[in-house]
Amino acid sequence: TIQATAPLTLTSAKMTLTGTGTILGYGDGTISYEDLIKASKNASLTIDGIEISGHKSGSALGADESTIYVKNGKITNNKGYVGGCIEIKDRSTIYISGGEISNNTSDYRSGGIDAMESTVYLSGGVISDNTSKDIGGISVYDGKITVTGGKVINNSSKSGAGGISASFSTMNISDGIISNNSGGTGGGAEISYGTFIMTGGEISQNSAEDGGGIGSDERSKMKISGGSITDNTAVHGGGI
């Protein structure tokens, strides 16, 4: 176990964190904008087996014009201002193919992953039990999210999507499970000023005030040609 006492910034370099150890974050929640580990300026950070937990002064991982790979391991019990677990911005990319992102919280935007002008690829792993008043699991603004596998389950928010939110963005789902999330608008997924494409996968047993399965505004485009949207509940629009 390694106890961190200050943030680590990786600039224009590559780093892989692997093994079975734990990196413990720092902070008491009064400062919430210091990422524990940040990839900056075309850096590449890979998480493959370790646990990162207990950071209360910002996101556990951050990326600015860089790339993050989550292949295995656990990122849990962190608290940030935006993106309790991971915050990426400025044309960054995150690839999630395994591991667990769970029980993270944030004051604003997403408890799990917050992507601003960036791209998210989810092909495996579990994103669960993350909370925020805005979006529970994953938030994408002015970017793109592609879901080809993995599970987004048991995330919650008060006002926005419980599972995945895409604003001014494209959400493309071809496989994977989005289930048992709860939110204000869009229990499973929410699309706002964007494009939603679903050719496969499952959106089930989610709940919300509006749009239990999917919440959408009138300015968004939706194309659903496959997959299943079942057993979702809402005051207005159980499925969509």
Side-chain angles (χ1 to χ4, degrees):
T1 300
I2 298 174
Q3 175 64 65
T5 58
L8 169 66
T9 299
L10 181 68
T11 303
S12 303
K14 294 182 179 181
M15 181 169 70
T16 297
L17 298 175
T18 187
T20 58
T22 301
I23 299 176
L24 296 176
Y26 59 90
D28 58 7
T30 56
I31 298 175
S32 56
Y33 49 81
E34 288 184 349
D35 297 338
L36 179 59
I37 304 173
K38 184 173 183 178
S40 181
K41 296 181 180 179
N42 297 312
S44 175
L45 173 63
T46 300
I47 306 299
D48 191 6
I50 66 166
E51 177 177 323
I52 302 173
S53 62
H55 190 56
K56 308 299 182 183
S57 290
S59 301
L61 303 179
D64 181 353
E65 295 182 298
S66 296
T67 304
I68 294 176
Y69 299 89
V70 179
K71 297 182 178 180
N72 197 2
K74 189 174 183 179
I75 310 173
T76 186
N77 292 312
N78 302 285
K79 181 182 185 298
Y81 184 70
V82 293
C85 181
I86 301 172
E87 180 189 8
I88 65 172
K89 58 185 179 180
D90 297 336
R91 299 172 300 283
S92 293
T93 303
I94 184 168
Y95 296 89
I96 304 166
S97 57
E100 177 182 320
I101 295 170
S102 64
N103 292 292
N104 302 283
T105 64
S106 69
D107 296 324
Y108 298 98
R109 298 218 288 264
S110 177
I113 300 169
D114 187 81
M116 178 75 71
E117 297 179 339
S118 297
T119 302
V120 177
Y121 292 101
L122 176 63
S123 61
V126 178
I127 298 171
S128 69
D129 300 289
N130 302 286
T131 62
S132 175
K133 72 175 187 179
D134 293 331
I135 293 100
I138 304 172
S139 171
V140 181
Y141 184 91
D142 194 16
K144 180 181 179 180
I145 178 167
T146 300
V147 181
T148 60
K151 297 180 180 180
V152 181
I153 56 175
N154 300 323
N155 302 282
S156 62
S157 75
K158 292 183 179 180
S159 60
I164 304 173
S165 173
S167 298
F168 298 93
S169 303
T170 297
M171 186 188 310
N172 195 321
I173 301 173
S174 61
D175 205 346
I177 296 173
I178 302 172
S179 181
N180 287 293
N181 303 284
S182 62
T185 301
E190 176 190 18
I191 186 76
S192 176
Y193 288 91
T195 301
F196 178 89
I197 301 168
M198 185 174 182
T199 59
E202 173 186 325
I203 299 176
S204 66
Q205 298 181 340
N206 302 283
S207 61
E209 181 75 16
D210 298 294
I214 305 169
S216 176
D217 61 16
E218 61 185 13
R219 296 164 291 270
S220 295
K221 299 178 181 179
M222 301 184 71
K223 182 179 180 180
I224 301 172
S225 59
S228 63
I229 303 171
T230 60
D231 300 319
N232 302 283
T233 59
V235 176
H236 308 288
I240 301 174

